[in-house]
Amino acid sequence: QVQLVESGGGLVQAGDSLRLSCAASGRTFSTYGMGWFRQAPGKEREFVAAINWSGGIRYYGDSVKGRFTISRENAKNTVYLQMNSLKPEDTAVYYCAADIGGRTLADPKMYDYWGQGTQVTVSS
């Protein structure tokens, strides 16, 4: 069983930056593909970013390209989401997810483990 714990959310103003972290339990984190998703009230879960097991492949949702960066530190069992130039429409609960196959995936149904989420609120 893998446990994922997100942190770093909060209330910020439009144009600000935040960095989310997702810490994973277990000794096989370096083999997992990791993803970030978000869900706003009344909306479906949306793909934000994904990174493969080595960090060599990254993939972003269209709405965050050029503003968000996903990265990972396998030595710390942690994946990050650096969010710059935040907009009110980025307001959502942000979730990290793990794929035991090590892939870079945009489909939430393909992920094996999920964190509990962290709230990000961007005021205008």
Side-chain angles (χ1 to χ4, degrees), residues 40-123:
K43 295 189 176 182
E44 293 187 354
R45 191 161 295 193
E46 177 189 10
F47 169 71
V48 174
I51 190 167
N52 76 326
W53 65 274
S54 69
I57 301 173
R58 309 180 193 197
Y59 182 49
Y60 296 94
D62 288 342
S63 61
V64 306
K65 279 180 184 176
R67 299 188 298 123
F68 291 12
T69 302
I70 189 171
S71 62
R72 66 189 298 158
E73 280 191 77
N74 286 343
K76 294 185 177 181
N77 278 19
T78 302
V79 63
Y80 304 99
L81 185 69
Q82 177 66 42
M83 307 186 294
N84 298 331
S85 302
L86 282 161
K87 305 175 182 180
E89 50 264 44
D90 295 319
T91 296
V93 177
Y94 283 70
Y95 300 89
C96 71
D99 164 49
I100 61 175
R103 299 164 292 182
T104 313
L105 302 170
D107 184 350
K109 297 188 295 295
M110 301 295 290
Y111 283 85
D112 301 289
Y113 300 102
W114 290 84
Q116 82 290 347
T118 186
Q119 176 71 46
V120 172
T121 303
V122 184
S123 64

Side-chain angles (χ1 to χ4, degrees), residues 25-43:
S25 64
R27 291 178 286 182
T28 53
F29 173 79
S30 62
T31 67
Y32 302 152
M34 299 297 296
W36 285 98
F37 292 80
R38 65 188 182 186
Q39 189 164 19
K43 295 189 176 182

